[in-house]
Amino acid sequence: TLKACLFDLDGVIVDTARYHFLAWKQLAEQLGIDFTEEHNELLKGVSRMRSLDIILEIGGKTLSEEEKTALANKKNEVYLEYILKMDESEILPGVKSFITELKNNHIRVALGSASKNARLILKRLNIENLFDAVIDGNKVSEAKPDPEVFLNGAAELQVEPEACVVFEDAVAGIEAAQNAGMFCVGIGDITILKKANLVIPGFADFNLEKLQACMQE
Ligand code: B16
Ligand code: MG
């Protein structure tokens, strides 16, 4: 039986990919690297440092660790300017009412995100109080598809992995959920997220009853 739901942040609860893109684009321009929205797809669900490595690979540049840390910090400052302007209106359709429905049915809720800014974003969206646990980029050492982030979430909630469902928009995140032994719902395009147990375009037309029906099949 279902006891807990674990949510990815970017692409599931909010679309921060746009702000990551704008911040990385500004940095790439300063480095003389042509960084496109298509390239940005490669960064979804990936850590900040790994994202920078991917951009440097695109531009054919090698930098020292010190230079890279400075650039990653610089990108984050620009990204934070966008994040600080966010509000509740940017929560993706249906997700807040779905989480509220879970809470009303005594199903525990956790965040499982690669972002080190996750808590700040939840605060800006005014939904921090909906989460019984927040596992973010500050708490994990292994990136998705490693199951660490979701196993930590289950452990903090004191729920066995088999009783958890993960909501993810990235292929690596779906693999992480499967590596954790959890049922996984993909949010997005079924042709890309085909490994998920169930794929939905978003939460607008979704509810607990539908989730439970799919889990019993
Ligand atoms: P930060 P998620 C991920 O969030 C983003 O998809 C990814 O593009 C970003 O690089 C990563 O967080 C780290 O973010 O720079 O804020 O620590 O999808 O795992 O919620
Ligand atoms: Mg994501």
PDB file of all heavy atoms in Angstrom, residues 45-82:
ATOM      1  N   GLY A  45      17.943  17.992 -14.134  1.00  0.00           N
ATOM      2  CA  GLY A  45      18.166  16.966 -13.122  1.00  0.00           C
ATOM      3  C   GLY A  45      19.638  16.751 -12.767  1.00  0.00           C
ATOM      4  O   GLY A  45      19.964  15.974 -11.889  1.00  0.00           O
ATOM      5  N   VAL A  46      20.525  17.464 -13.468  1.00  0.00           N
ATOM      6  CA  VAL A  46      21.979  17.307 -13.306  1.00  0.00           C
ATOM      7  C   VAL A  46      22.480  18.342 -12.282  1.00  0.00           C
ATOM      8  O   VAL A  46      21.934  19.434 -12.184  1.00  0.00           O
ATOM      9  CB  VAL A  46      22.623  17.539 -14.693  1.00  0.00           C
ATOM     10  CG1 VAL A  46      24.108  17.726 -14.612  1.00  0.00           C
ATOM     11  CG2 VAL A  46      22.270  16.389 -15.631  1.00  0.00           C
ATOM     12  N   SER A  47      23.522  18.023 -11.533  1.00  0.00           N
ATOM     13  CA  SER A  47      24.014  18.953 -10.494  1.00  0.00           C
ATOM     14  C   SER A  47      24.633  20.218 -11.111  1.00  0.00           C
ATOM     15  O   SER A  47      24.944  20.254 -12.299  1.00  0.00           O
ATOM     16  CB  SER A  47      25.063  18.263  -9.624  1.00  0.00           C
ATOM     17  OG  SER A  47      26.288  18.200 -10.330  1.00  0.00           O
ATOM     18  N   ARG A  48      24.818  21.226 -10.272  1.00  0.00           N
ATOM     19  CA  ARG A  48      25.368  22.508 -10.739  1.00  0.00           C
ATOM     20  C   ARG A  48      26.749  22.329 -11.375  1.00  0.00           C
ATOM     21  O   ARG A  48      27.013  22.823 -12.467  1.00  0.00           O
ATOM     22  CB  ARG A  48      25.441  23.478  -9.563  1.00  0.00           C
ATOM     23  CG  ARG A  48      25.657  24.909  -9.988  1.00  0.00           C
ATOM     24  CD  ARG A  48      25.721  25.825  -8.770  1.00  0.00           C
ATOM     25  NE  ARG A  48      24.579  25.646  -7.877  1.00  0.00           N
ATOM     26  CZ  ARG A  48      24.514  26.104  -6.633  1.00  0.00           C
ATOM     27  NH1 ARG A  48      25.528  26.777  -6.128  1.00  0.00           N
ATOM     28  NH2 ARG A  48      23.449  25.884  -5.890  1.00  0.00           N
ATOM     29  N   MET A  49      27.657  21.611 -10.689  1.00  0.00           N
ATOM     30  CA  MET A  49      29.023  21.456 -11.214  1.00  0.00           C
ATOM     31  C   MET A  49      29.052  20.631 -12.493  1.00  0.00           C
ATOM     32  O   MET A  49      29.792  20.936 -13.426  1.00  0.00           O
ATOM     33  CB  MET A  49      29.940  20.837 -10.151  1.00  0.00           C
ATOM     34  CG  MET A  49      30.405  21.813  -9.089  1.00  0.00           C
ATOM     35  SD  MET A  49      30.976  23.399  -9.751  1.00  0.00           S
ATOM     36  CE  MET A  49      32.692  23.092  -9.967  1.00  0.00           C
ATOM     37  N   ARG A  50      28.225  19.589 -12.522  1.00  0.00           N
ATOM     38  CA  ARG A  50      28.160  18.758 -13.729  1.00  0.00           C
ATOM     39  C   ARG A  50      27.583  19.577 -14.895  1.00  0.00           C
ATOM     40  O   ARG A  50      28.020  19.447 -16.030  1.00  0.00           O
ATOM     41  CB  ARG A  50      27.314  17.501 -13.447  1.00  0.00           C
ATOM     42  CG  ARG A  50      27.133  16.554 -14.602  1.00  0.00           C
ATOM     43  CD  ARG A  50      28.417  15.804 -14.986  1.00  0.00           C
ATOM     44  NE  ARG A  50      28.264  15.207 -16.310  1.00  0.00           N
ATOM     45  CZ  ARG A  50      29.086  15.423 -17.344  1.00  0.00           C
ATOM     46  NH1 ARG A  50      30.157  16.170 -17.219  1.00  0.00           N
ATOM     47  NH2 ARG A  50      28.850  14.865 -18.515  1.00  0.00           N
ATOM     48  N   SER A  51      26.624  20.449 -14.597  1.00  0.00           N
ATOM     49  CA  SER A  51      26.048  21.326 -15.629  1.00  0.00           C
ATOM     50  C   SER A  51      27.139  22.200 -16.241  1.00  0.00           C
ATOM     51  O   SER A  51      27.221  22.350 -17.461  1.00  0.00           O
ATOM     52  CB  SER A  51      24.970  22.232 -15.030  1.00  0.00           C
ATOM     53  OG  SER A  51      23.904  21.486 -14.502  1.00  0.00           O
ATOM     54  N   LEU A  52      27.987  22.764 -15.378  1.00  0.00           N
ATOM     55  CA  LEU A  52      29.073  23.622 -15.869  1.00  0.00           C
ATOM     56  C   LEU A  52      30.030  22.812 -16.745  1.00  0.00           C
ATOM     57  O   LEU A  52      30.450  23.273 -17.814  1.00  0.00           O
ATOM     58  CB  LEU A  52      29.823  24.254 -14.685  1.00  0.00           C
ATOM     59  CG  LEU A  52      31.032  25.118 -15.054  1.00  0.00           C
ATOM     60  CD1 LEU A  52      30.651  26.272 -15.985  1.00  0.00           C
ATOM     61  CD2 LEU A  52      31.706  25.666 -13.796  1.00  0.00           C
ATOM     62  N   ASP A  53      30.354  21.601 -16.312  1.00  0.00           N
ATOM     63  CA  ASP A  53      31.239  20.743 -17.113  1.00  0.00           C
ATOM     64  C   ASP A  53      30.653  20.502 -18.509  1.00  0.00           C
ATOM     65  O   ASP A  53      31.384  20.528 -19.508  1.00  0.00           O
ATOM     66  CB  ASP A  53      31.469  19.399 -16.403  1.00  0.00           C
ATOM     67  CG  ASP A  53      32.480  19.522 -15.260  1.00  0.00           C
ATOM     68  OD1 ASP A  53      33.328  20.428 -15.321  1.00  0.00           O
ATOM     69  OD2 ASP A  53      32.410  18.711 -14.317  1.00  0.00           O
ATOM     70  N   ILE A  54      29.341  20.271 -18.559  1.00  0.00           N
ATOM     71  CA  ILE A  54      28.688  20.020 -19.850  1.00  0.00           C
ATOM     72  C   ILE A  54      28.809  21.251 -20.749  1.00  0.00           C
ATOM     73  O   ILE A  54      29.132  21.154 -21.936  1.00  0.00           O
ATOM     74  CB  ILE A  54      27.206  19.611 -19.640  1.00  0.00           C
ATOM     75  CG1 ILE A  54      27.134  18.230 -18.963  1.00  0.00           C
ATOM     76  CG2 ILE A  54      26.445  19.598 -20.967  1.00  0.00           C
ATOM     77  CD1 ILE A  54      25.735  17.813 -18.508  1.00  0.00           C
ATOM     78  N   ILE A  55      28.600  22.452 -20.163  1.00  0.00           N
ATOM     79  CA  ILE A  55      28.693  23.692 -20.949  1.00  0.00           C
ATOM     80  C   ILE A  55      30.129  23.909 -21.452  1.00  0.00           C
ATOM     81  O   ILE A  55      30.348  24.283 -22.602  1.00  0.00           O
ATOM     82  CB  ILE A  55      28.199  24.890 -20.111  1.00  0.00           C
ATOM     83  CG1 ILE A  55      26.690  24.754 -19.892  1.00  0.00           C
ATOM     84  CG2 ILE A  55      28.542  26.224 -20.789  1.00  0.00           C
ATOM     85  CD1 ILE A  55      26.122  25.677 -18.841  1.00  0.00           C
ATOM     86  N   LEU A  56      31.099  23.627 -20.593  1.00  0.00           N
ATOM     87  CA  LEU A  56      32.502  23.781 -21.005  1.00  0.00           C
ATOM     88  C   LEU A  56      32.855  22.786 -22.105  1.00  0.00           C
ATOM     89  O   LEU A  56      33.607  23.105 -23.035  1.00  0.00           O
ATOM     90  CB  LEU A  56      33.435  23.620 -19.797  1.00  0.00           C
ATOM     91  CG  LEU A  56      33.316  24.720 -18.727  1.00  0.00           C
ATOM     92  CD1 LEU A  56      34.179  24.389 -17.510  1.00  0.00           C
ATOM     93  CD2 LEU A  56      33.699  26.085 -19.286  1.00  0.00           C
ATOM     94  N   GLU A  57      32.286  21.580 -22.022  1.00  0.00           N
ATOM     95  CA  GLU A  57      32.503  20.581 -23.083  1.00  0.00           C
ATOM     96  C   GLU A  57      31.938  21.080 -24.409  1.00  0.00           C
ATOM     97  O   GLU A  57      32.577  20.938 -25.460  1.00  0.00           O
ATOM     98  CB  GLU A  57      31.818  19.249 -22.723  1.00  0.00           C
ATOM     99  CG  GLU A  57      32.674  18.321 -21.864  1.00  0.00           C
ATOM    100  CD  GLU A  57      31.860  17.172 -21.263  1.00  0.00           C
ATOM    101  OE1 GLU A  57      30.963  16.652 -21.950  1.00  0.00           O
ATOM    102  OE2 GLU A  57      32.117  16.822 -20.083  1.00  0.00           O
ATOM    103  N   ILE A  58      30.735  21.689 -24.351  1.00  0.00           N
ATOM    104  CA  ILE A  58      30.103  22.234 -25.561  1.00  0.00           C
ATOM    105  C   ILE A  58      31.019  23.288 -26.191  1.00  0.00           C
ATOM    106  O   ILE A  58      31.194  23.330 -27.404  1.00  0.00           O
ATOM    107  CB  ILE A  58      28.714  22.841 -25.223  1.00  0.00           C
ATOM    108  CG1 ILE A  58      27.722  21.735 -24.850  1.00  0.00           C
ATOM    109  CG2 ILE A  58      28.177  23.686 -26.394  1.00  0.00           C
ATOM    110  CD1 ILE A  58      26.441  22.235 -24.191  1.00  0.00           C
ATOM    111  N   GLY A  59      31.619  24.118 -25.341  1.00  0.00           N
ATOM    112  CA  GLY A  59      32.489  25.183 -25.840  1.00  0.00           C
ATOM    113  C   GLY A  59      33.929  24.749 -26.062  1.00  0.00           C
ATOM    114  O   GLY A  59      34.757  25.549 -26.499  1.00  0.00           O
ATOM    115  N   GLY A  60      34.247  23.495 -25.746  1.00  0.00           N
ATOM    116  CA  GLY A  60      35.610  22.994 -25.924  1.00  0.00           C
ATOM    117  C   GLY A  60      36.628  23.697 -25.031  1.00  0.00           C
ATOM    118  O   GLY A  60      37.753  23.967 -25.444  1.00  0.00           O
ATOM    119  N   LYS A  61      36.225  24.011 -23.801  1.00  0.00           N
ATOM    120  CA  LYS A  61      37.128  24.732 -22.891  1.00  0.00           C
ATOM    121  C   LYS A  61      37.495  23.875 -21.678  1.00  0.00           C
ATOM    122  O   LYS A  61      36.662  23.123 -21.174  1.00  0.00           O
ATOM    123  CB  LYS A  61      36.431  25.990 -22.363  1.00  0.00           C
ATOM    124  CG  LYS A  61      36.408  27.123 -23.343  1.00  0.00           C
ATOM    125  CD  LYS A  61      36.089  28.430 -22.637  1.00  0.00           C
ATOM    126  CE  LYS A  61      35.715  29.539 -23.579  1.00  0.00           C
ATOM    127  NZ  LYS A  61      36.728  29.931 -24.534  1.00  0.00           N
ATOM    128  N   THR A  62      38.743  24.002 -21.227  1.00  0.00           N
ATOM    129  CA  THR A  62      39.143  23.356 -19.975  1.00  0.00           C
ATOM    130  C   THR A  62      39.595  24.438 -18.991  1.00  0.00           C
ATOM    131  O   THR A  62      40.361  25.319 -19.360  1.00  0.00           O
ATOM    132  CB  THR A  62      40.323  22.366 -20.182  1.00  0.00           C
ATOM    133  OG1 THR A  62      40.794  22.473 -21.518  1.00  0.00           O
ATOM    134  CG2 THR A  62      39.938  20.950 -19.888  1.00  0.00           C
ATOM    135  N   LEU A  63      39.079  24.342 -17.763  1.00  0.00           N
ATOM    136  CA  LEU A  63      39.426  25.329 -16.746  1.00  0.00           C
ATOM    137  C   LEU A  63      39.870  24.620 -15.472  1.00  0.00           C
ATOM    138  O   LEU A  63      39.580  23.434 -15.283  1.00  0.00           O
ATOM    139  CB  LEU A  63      38.209  26.216 -16.442  1.00  0.00           C
ATOM    140  CG  LEU A  63      37.648  27.067 -17.588  1.00  0.00           C
ATOM    141  CD1 LEU A  63      36.368  27.762 -17.141  1.00  0.00           C
ATOM    142  CD2 LEU A  63      38.672  28.110 -18.040  1.00  0.00           C
ATOM    143  N   SER A  64      40.532  25.351 -14.594  1.00  0.00           N
ATOM    144  CA  SER A  64      40.966  24.762 -13.323  1.00  0.00           C
ATOM    145  C   SER A  64      39.765  24.617 -12.395  1.00  0.00           C
ATOM    146  O   SER A  64      38.724  25.254 -12.609  1.00  0.00           O
ATOM    147  CB  SER A  64      42.002  25.674 -12.667  1.00  0.00           C
ATOM    148  OG  SER A  64      41.374  26.847 -12.202  1.00  0.00           O
ATOM    149  N   GLU A  65      39.922  23.819 -11.353  1.00  0.00           N
ATOM    150  CA  GLU A  65      38.840  23.623 -10.370  1.00  0.00           C
ATOM    151  C   GLU A  65      38.448  24.952  -9.722  1.00  0.00           C
ATOM    152  O   GLU A  65      37.274  25.219  -9.506  1.00  0.00           O
ATOM    153  CB  GLU A  65      39.264  22.622  -9.286  1.00  0.00           C
ATOM    154  CG  GLU A  65      39.241  21.166  -9.734  1.00  0.00           C
ATOM    155  CD  GLU A  65      37.921  20.722 -10.365  1.00  0.00           C
ATOM    156  OE1 GLU A  65      36.847  20.977  -9.778  1.00  0.00           O
ATOM    157  OE2 GLU A  65      37.958  20.135 -11.473  1.00  0.00           O
ATOM    158  N   GLU A  66      39.471  25.802  -9.435  1.00  0.00           N
ATOM    159  CA  GLU A  66      39.188  27.096  -8.806  1.00  0.00           C
ATOM    160  C   GLU A  66      38.333  27.973  -9.724  1.00  0.00           C
ATOM    161  O   GLU A  66      37.369  28.604  -9.286  1.00  0.00           O
ATOM    162  CB  GLU A  66      40.482  27.863  -8.474  1.00  0.00           C
ATOM    163  CG  GLU A  66      41.350  27.235  -7.389  1.00  0.00           C
ATOM    164  CD  GLU A  66      42.094  25.996  -7.857  1.00  0.00           C
ATOM    165  OE1 GLU A  66      42.683  26.036  -8.960  1.00  0.00           O
ATOM    166  OE2 GLU A  66      42.062  24.976  -7.144  1.00  0.00           O
ATOM    167  N   GLU A  67      38.727  27.998 -10.997  1.00  0.00           N
ATOM    168  CA  GLU A  67      37.972  28.808 -11.965  1.00  0.00           C
ATOM    169  C   GLU A  67      36.536  28.294 -12.082  1.00  0.00           C
ATOM    170  O   GLU A  67      35.589  29.076 -12.142  1.00  0.00           O
ATOM    171  CB  GLU A  67      38.656  28.753 -13.343  1.00  0.00           C
ATOM    172  CG  GLU A  67      39.935  29.560 -13.418  1.00  0.00           C
ATOM    173  CD  GLU A  67      40.724  29.296 -14.697  1.00  0.00           C
ATOM    174  OE1 GLU A  67      40.939  28.102 -15.041  1.00  0.00           O
ATOM    175  OE2 GLU A  67      41.116  30.273 -15.350  1.00  0.00           O
ATOM    176  N   LYS A  68      36.407  26.975 -12.080  1.00  0.00           N
ATOM    177  CA  LYS A  68      35.070  26.385 -12.214  1.00  0.00           C
ATOM    178  C   LYS A  68      34.189  26.706 -11.010  1.00  0.00           C
ATOM    179  O   LYS A  68      33.014  27.034 -11.167  1.00  0.00           O
ATOM    180  CB  LYS A  68      35.172  24.864 -12.423  1.00  0.00           C
ATOM    181  CG  LYS A  68      35.658  24.495 -13.815  1.00  0.00           C
ATOM    182  CD  LYS A  68      35.243  23.096 -14.211  1.00  0.00           C
ATOM    183  CE  LYS A  68      36.186  22.060 -13.687  1.00  0.00           C
ATOM    184  NZ  LYS A  68      35.828  20.707 -14.161  1.00  0.00           N
ATOM    185  N   THR A  69      34.769  26.626  -9.817  1.00  0.00           N
ATOM    186  CA  THR A  69      33.988  26.946  -8.612  1.00  0.00           C
ATOM    187  C   THR A  69      33.524  28.403  -8.667  1.00  0.00           C
ATOM    188  O   THR A  69      32.363  28.703  -8.366  1.00  0.00           O
ATOM    189  CB  THR A  69      34.855  26.715  -7.353  1.00  0.00           C
ATOM    190  OG1 THR A  69      35.332  25.375  -7.410  1.00  0.00           O
ATOM    191  CG2 THR A  69      34.059  26.903  -6.074  1.00  0.00           C
ATOM    192  N   ALA A  70      34.425  29.297  -9.091  1.00  0.00           N
ATOM    193  CA  ALA A  70      34.064  30.718  -9.181  1.00  0.00           C
ATOM    194  C   ALA A  70      32.934  30.925 -10.189  1.00  0.00           C
ATOM    195  O   ALA A  70      31.985  31.681  -9.927  1.00  0.00           O
ATOM    196  CB  ALA A  70      35.289  31.541  -9.573  1.00  0.00           C
ATOM    197  N   LEU A  71      33.011  30.244 -11.323  1.00  0.00           N
ATOM    198  CA  LEU A  71      31.967  30.399 -12.348  1.00  0.00           C
ATOM    199  C   LEU A  71      30.633  29.840 -11.870  1.00  0.00           C
ATOM    200  O   LEU A  71      29.575  30.425 -12.109  1.00  0.00           O
ATOM    201  CB  LEU A  71      32.390  29.703 -13.650  1.00  0.00           C
ATOM    202  CG  LEU A  71      33.519  30.374 -14.437  1.00  0.00           C
ATOM    203  CD1 LEU A  71      33.871  29.529 -15.658  1.00  0.00           C
ATOM    204  CD2 LEU A  71      33.114  31.778 -14.881  1.00  0.00           C
ATOM    205  N   ALA A  72      30.673  28.687 -11.189  1.00  0.00           N
ATOM    206  CA  ALA A  72      29.435  28.077 -10.686  1.00  0.00           C
ATOM    207  C   ALA A  72      28.774  29.003  -9.661  1.00  0.00           C
ATOM    208  O   ALA A  72      27.552  29.164  -9.657  1.00  0.00           O
ATOM    209  CB  ALA A  72      29.723  26.713 -10.071  1.00  0.00           C
ATOM    210  N   ASN A  73      29.590  29.634  -8.822  1.00  0.00           N
ATOM    211  CA  ASN A  73      29.053  30.580  -7.836  1.00  0.00           C
ATOM    212  C   ASN A  73      28.416  31.790  -8.522  1.00  0.00           C
ATOM    213  O   ASN A  73      27.363  32.274  -8.118  1.00  0.00           O
ATOM    214  CB  ASN A  73      30.151  31.062  -6.883  1.00  0.00           C
ATOM    215  CG  ASN A  73      30.591  29.966  -5.933  1.00  0.00           C
ATOM    216  OD1 ASN A  73      29.877  28.973  -5.745  1.00  0.00           O
ATOM    217  ND2 ASN A  73      31.770  30.122  -5.349  1.00  0.00           N
ATOM    218  N   LYS A  74      29.099  32.250  -9.577  1.00  0.00           N
ATOM    219  CA  LYS A  74      28.613  33.402 -10.329  1.00  0.00           C
ATOM    220  C   LYS A  74      27.262  33.084 -10.979  1.00  0.00           C
ATOM    221  O   LYS A  74      26.328  33.888 -10.948  1.00  0.00           O
ATOM    222  CB  LYS A  74      29.654  33.718 -11.408  1.00  0.00           C
ATOM    223  CG  LYS A  74      29.676  35.150 -11.856  1.00  0.00           C
ATOM    224  CD  LYS A  74      30.944  35.365 -12.685  1.00  0.00           C
ATOM    225  CE  LYS A  74      30.784  36.500 -13.672  1.00  0.00           C
ATOM    226  NZ  LYS A  74      31.888  36.546 -14.634  1.00  0.00           N
ATOM    227  N   LYS A  75      27.169  31.893 -11.577  1.00  0.00           N
ATOM    228  CA  LYS A  75      25.893  31.475 -12.173  1.00  0.00           C
ATOM    229  C   LYS A  75      24.806  31.450 -11.116  1.00  0.00           C
ATOM    230  O   LYS A  75      23.678  31.895 -11.344  1.00  0.00           O
ATOM    231  CB  LYS A  75      26.049  30.102 -12.836  1.00  0.00           C
ATOM    232  CG  LYS A  75      24.759  29.559 -13.456  1.00  0.00           C
ATOM    233  CD  LYS A  75      24.022  28.624 -12.517  1.00  0.00           C
ATOM    234  CE  LYS A  75      22.671  28.190 -13.052  1.00  0.00           C
ATOM    235  NZ  LYS A  75      21.967  27.267 -12.161  1.00  0.00           N
ATOM    236  N   ASN A  76      25.144  30.916  -9.933  1.00  0.00           N
ATOM    237  CA  ASN A  76      24.113  30.792  -8.899  1.00  0.00           C
ATOM    238  C   ASN A  76      23.621  32.161  -8.429  1.00  0.00           C
ATOM    239  O   ASN A  76      22.440  32.315  -8.122  1.00  0.00           O
ATOM    240  CB  ASN A  76      24.627  29.973  -7.720  1.00  0.00           C
ATOM    241  CG  ASN A  76      23.489  29.471  -6.858  1.00  0.00           C
ATOM    242  OD1 ASN A  76      22.540  28.855  -7.370  1.00  0.00           O
ATOM    243  ND2 ASN A  76      23.527  29.742  -5.574  1.00  0.00           N
ATOM    244  N   GLU A  77      24.515  33.146  -8.409  1.00  0.00           N
ATOM    245  CA  GLU A  77      24.074  34.497  -8.013  1.00  0.00           C
ATOM    246  C   GLU A  77      23.035  35.043  -8.980  1.00  0.00           C
ATOM    247  O   GLU A  77      22.026  35.635  -8.569  1.00  0.00           O
ATOM    248  CB  GLU A  77      25.273  35.448  -7.944  1.00  0.00           C
ATOM    249  CG  GLU A  77      26.033  35.322  -6.635  1.00  0.00           C
ATOM    250  CD  GLU A  77      27.347  36.098  -6.641  1.00  0.00           C
ATOM    251  OE1 GLU A  77      27.433  37.127  -7.350  1.00  0.00           O
ATOM    252  OE2 GLU A  77      28.278  35.647  -5.945  1.00  0.00           O
ATOM    253  N   VAL A  78      23.279  34.825 -10.265  1.00  0.00           N
ATOM    254  CA  VAL A  78      22.317  35.287 -11.281  1.00  0.00           C
ATOM    255  C   VAL A  78      21.011  34.505 -11.146  1.00  0.00           C
ATOM    256  O   VAL A  78      19.913  35.072 -11.177  1.00  0.00           O
ATOM    257  CB  VAL A  78      22.909  35.119 -12.704  1.00  0.00           C
ATOM    258  CG1 VAL A  78      21.892  35.527 -13.763  1.00  0.00           C
ATOM    259  CG2 VAL A  78      24.198  35.931 -12.838  1.00  0.00           C
ATOM    260  N   TYR A  79      21.131  33.182 -10.960  1.00  0.00           N
ATOM    261  CA  TYR A  79      19.949  32.316 -10.810  1.00  0.00           C
ATOM    262  C   TYR A  79      19.105  32.756  -9.610  1.00  0.00           C
ATOM    263  O   TYR A  79      17.883  32.850  -9.698  1.00  0.00           O
ATOM    264  CB  TYR A  79      20.425  30.866 -10.655  1.00  0.00           C
ATOM    265  CG  TYR A  79      19.327  29.859 -10.448  1.00  0.00           C
ATOM    266  CD1 TYR A  79      18.387  29.606 -11.451  1.00  0.00           C
ATOM    267  CD2 TYR A  79      19.224  29.134  -9.259  1.00  0.00           C
ATOM    268  CE1 TYR A  79      17.370  28.678 -11.267  1.00  0.00           C
ATOM    269  CE2 TYR A  79      18.218  28.205  -9.070  1.00  0.00           C
ATOM    270  CZ  TYR A  79      17.290  27.980 -10.079  1.00  0.00           C
ATOM    271  OH  TYR A  79      16.289  27.065  -9.890  1.00  0.00           O
ATOM    272  N   LEU A  80      19.782  33.084  -8.507  1.00  0.00           N
ATOM    273  CA  LEU A  80      19.066  33.499  -7.299  1.00  0.00           C
ATOM    274  C   LEU A  80      18.261  34.783  -7.499  1.00  0.00           C
ATOM    275  O   LEU A  80      17.200  34.957  -6.913  1.00  0.00           O
ATOM    276  CB  LEU A  80      20.049  33.678  -6.136  1.00  0.00           C
ATOM    277  CG  LEU A  80      20.539  32.384  -5.486  1.00  0.00           C
ATOM    278  CD1 LEU A  80      21.606  32.688  -4.440  1.00  0.00           C
ATOM    279  CD2 LEU A  80      19.385  31.619  -4.849  1.00  0.00           C
ATOM    280  N   GLU A  81      18.773  35.661  -8.376  1.00  0.00           N
ATOM    281  CA  GLU A  81      18.008  36.889  -8.655  1.00  0.00           C
ATOM    282  C   GLU A  81      16.650  36.548  -9.254  1.00  0.00           C
ATOM    283  O   GLU A  81      15.642  37.177  -8.933  1.00  0.00           O
ATOM    284  CB  GLU A  81      18.789  37.795  -9.614  1.00  0.00           C
ATOM    285  CG  GLU A  81      19.924  38.539  -8.934  1.00  0.00           C
ATOM    286  CD  GLU A  81      20.739  39.353  -9.925  1.00  0.00           C
ATOM    287  OE1 GLU A  81      20.161  39.830 -10.940  1.00  0.00           O
ATOM    288  OE2 GLU A  81      21.957  39.482  -9.707  1.00  0.00           O
ATOM    289  N   TYR A  82      16.639  35.527 -10.129  1.00  0.00           N
ATOM    290  CA  TYR A  82      15.359  35.103 -10.724  1.00  0.00           C
ATOM    291  C   TYR A  82      14.480  34.427  -9.664  1.00  0.00           C
ATOM    292  O   TYR A  82      13.281  34.666  -9.590  1.00  0.00           O
ATOM    293  CB  TYR A  82      15.594  34.119 -11.873  1.00  0.00           C
ATOM    294  CG  TYR A  82      16.196  34.751 -13.102  1.00  0.00           C
ATOM    295  CD1 TYR A  82      17.508  34.488 -13.476  1.00  0.00           C
ATOM    296  CD2 TYR A  82      15.435  35.615 -13.895  1.00  0.00           C
ATOM    297  CE1 TYR A  82      18.064  35.061 -14.611  1.00  0.00           C
ATOM    298  CE2 TYR A  82      15.978  36.203 -15.030  1.00  0.00           C
ATOM    299  CZ  TYR A  82      17.300  35.916 -15.384  1.00  0.00           C
ATOM    300  OH  TYR A  82      17.832  36.496 -16.500  1.00  0.00           O
TER     301      TYR A  82
END
